[in-house]
Amino acid sequence: MEFRNISILGSTGSIGTQTLDVVSQSKNIEIDFLTSNTNIELLEIQCSIYSPKGVVISDYSSFLEFKSKTNFKGIILYGDEGLEFVTSYKSTNLLVSSLVGFAGVIPTLNALNNKIDVALANKETLVAAGELITTLAKENQTNIFPIDSEHSAIQQCLIGENIDEVEKIILTASGGPFLNTTLSEFDAITIEDALNHPNWSMGSKITIDSATLMNKGLEVIEAYWLFGLSENQIDVIIHPQSIIHSMVQFNDSSVKAQLGLPDMKVPIAYALNFPNHKSYNFERMNLVEIGNLSFFKPDYNKFPNLQLAFDAISQGGTSCCILNAVNEVTVQSFLNGSISFKSISEINSKMLSEIKSYNNPSIHDIIEADKNARIITNEYIKSNYGIL
Ligand code: MG
């Protein structure tokens, strides 16, 4: 049996813990490194169960505390240097990149630079730096395995197919908790309402993004880079049951879809074992019980964020990076009570049209564009919506 050594960036987060669940059911996967920001209690537990070679802790005081209290005998590293060590570690076959936000970009880039395959759960990597990342992966002949139900579905549908024969891909979206909420009711949406996703259990940032459909917008951008299609070849349809995870339509009108229960462990297992479907005891889908699958057109008036993603792709340069950065700020501002739910997309739209985009960006340009967009958005919110 071929063993795979993996490291998980963000092992205490939602994707990280589910990845470890999959690992515990896998016979052929060993853990090199686990990393966490501040959740050292859970990291300690993970160390005792999975015996990694080492850990990285990004928050300095958590690092000091862990070091002084832990029973873990492996390598204990801190911060960006620690992440650099992990993403260049020789025996590692696969890096699970599941840090939240822009923090995931550089470690993913490092891994690809060091010819380590990446199982990518961090959206921002392809959204902010899609061109750099996909070019680098091609040059170094490294693979990117998406840990996202939609992109995993498309990757599965494309196995054995010729990408030139693809007419379009159809990303499905659950529609989030406000699919049936009217626009006039949007003013009354609370943080609790928005955090209550009908199908998927996820971290808070991505749950809000699902409620505004920005998550689907970011997935459109990811698909654009992952599969090398034009933005006109990417469709989005609402499918509230989240059973069809996405589809590919070919030149002869034939459509392939990938189906399954909404469970992130399935795309995680596929990414860890690509291109194999190893045996796991995940719950099986019963279509008779599910009964009906329904589909709707997305409402771009209610969810302007989705259109913004297509706009950002058309604008090119650093536009997608800007949209992503602005959206991280607006979602955070919504979560801490500074702005309303509706303001998220209103501010995203205003910032995307006002902040200047630069063409052919280097990684330094992307880091600058990201920083700059955050500063401008924070200042805008501060002066128009009170103090953060
Ligand atoms: Mg998804």
Side-chain angles (χ1 to χ4, degrees):
M1 191 185 321
E2 188 205 346
F3 269 84
R4 307 202 82 187
N5 285 57
I6 73 167
S7 289
I8 305 174
L9 304 187
S11 68
T12 56
S14 172
I15 294 291
T17 51
Q18 294 184 79
T19 301
L20 285 171
D21 277 352
V22 174
V23 168
S24 66
Q25 289 191 47
S26 308
K27 295 178 187 76
N28 59 331
I29 298 173
E30 280 178 12
I31 303 286
D32 278 346
F33 286 86
L34 300 176
T35 87
S36 179
N37 188 26
T38 56
N39 195 347
I40 52 176
E41 290 77 19
L42 181 55
L43 188 64
E44 179 78 38
I45 296 168
Q46 292 179 342
C47 284
S48 66
I49 300 173
Y50 298 97
S51 314
K53 292 198 179 79
V55 297
V56 179
I57 298 157
S58 296
D59 175 69
Y60 191 60
S61 61
S62 304
F63 163 73
L64 293 178
E65 195 186 332
F66 185 85
K67 241 188 141 173
S68 68
K69 287 187 186 160
T70 187
N71 296 314
F72 178 60
K73 299 283 187 290
I75 307 165
I76 304 170
L77 299 169
Y78 158 68
D80 291 345
E81 269 174 44
L83 292 178
E84 224 177 293
F85 185 84
V86 170
T87 53
S88 60
Y89 198 72
K90 276 229 163 63
S91 73
T92 305
N93 306 111
L94 181 74
L95 179 81
V96 177
S97 178
S98 52
L99 294 178
V100 176
F102 195 79
V105 177
I106 299 292
T108 308
L109 206 62
N110 281 345
L112 293 172
N113 252 324
N114 295 310
K115 305 199 173 182
I116 296 173
D117 287 345
V118 173
L120 187 61
N122 172 271
K123 291 220 151 77
E124 289 72 11
T125 299
L126 282 172
V127 171
E131 189 164 14
L132 280 178
I133 291 280
T134 49
T135 307
L136 183 63
K138 210 177 263 171
E139 276 172 12
N140 283 355
Q141 296 181 317
T142 41
N143 298 300
I144 299 171
F145 307 120
I147 296 187
D148 202 340
S149 59
E150 295 79 0
H151 305 87
S152 177
I154 293 165
Q155 195 171 50
Q156 292 178 55
C157 292
L158 286 176
I159 289 280
E161 303 291 355
N162 181 349
I163 192 75
D164 298 329
E165 294 171 358
V166 171
E167 193 166 78
K168 63 177 180 180
I169 57 178
I170 303 159
L171 292 176
T172 54
S174 72
F178 307 127
L179 177 61
N180 300 314
T181 309
T182 61
L183 193 53
S184 61
E185 295 167 327
F186 267 40
D187 288 326
I189 290 172
T190 65
I191 298 171
E192 290 70 32
D193 296 335
L195 282 175
N196 190 16
H197 195 276
N199 302 347
W200 296 96
S201 147
M202 307 172 289
S204 61
K205 158 74 168 55
I206 184 172
T207 304
I208 301 301
D209 282 344
S210 297
T212 67
L213 289 205
M214 181 47 95
N215 183 54
K216 206 51 52 183
L218 298 177
E219 288 178 355
V220 167
I221 299 170
E222 280 185 290
Y224 173 80
W225 288 115
L226 270 175
F227 304 111
L229 300 164
S230 82
E231 67 263 41
N232 305 322
Q233 291 173 288
I234 306 172
D235 263 6
V236 174
I237 59 169
I238 305 294
H239 167 44
Q241 295 86 2
S242 299
I243 295 296
I244 295 184
H245 297 309
S246 278
M247 298 173 253
V248 177
Q249 182 170 312
F250 297 92
N251 286 338
D252 59 357
S253 84
S254 171
V255 178
K256 267 167 108 175
Q258 189 265 339
L259 289 76
L261 293 173
D263 180 354
M264 279 311 291
K265 290 204 267 303
V266 181
I268 290 170
Y270 189 67
L272 297 188
N273 296 296
F274 182 91
N276 300 306
H277 290 277
K278 293 260 157 121
S279 175
Y280 289 94
N281 67 359
F282 307 141
E283 192 184 344
R284 266 46 181 172
M285 175 177 73
N286 183 334
L287 275 179
V288 175
E289 239 166 53
I290 293 162
N292 288 301
L293 300 180
S294 46
F295 306 93
F296 308 94
K297 250 183 158 169
D299 186 337
Y300 287 87
N301 278 328
K302 260 165 67 178
F303 303 107
N305 274 342
L306 186 54
Q307 185 57 48
L308 292 181
F310 283 100
D311 295 346
I313 293 175
S314 306
Q315 287 169 25
T318 51
S319 293
C320 292
C321 172
I322 291 168
L323 177 61
N324 173 65
V326 170
N327 182 63
E328 272 194 50
V329 174
T330 51
V331 169
Q332 201 46 54
S333 303
F334 170 69
L335 283 171
N336 67 28
S338 304
I339 64 169
S340 70
F341 183 79
K342 249 170 103 177
S343 304
I344 297 174
S345 59
E346 286 165 3
I347 298 169
N348 287 352
S349 170
K350 188 174 169 63
M351 294 295 116
L352 180 65
S353 64
E354 286 182 6
I355 300 172
K356 192 172 169 1
S357 166
Y358 290 90
N359 286 330
N360 304 315
S362 67
I363 187 63
H364 301 289
D365 298 332
I366 289 166
I367 293 169
E368 270 309 298
D370 174 82
K371 231 189 251 167
N372 186 42
R374 284 166 203 269
I375 292 170
I376 295 173
T377 311
N378 267 315
E379 275 171 4
Y380 177 79
I381 292 173
K382 218 182 208 171
S383 53
N384 291 277
Y385 297 81
I387 291 161
L388 284 179

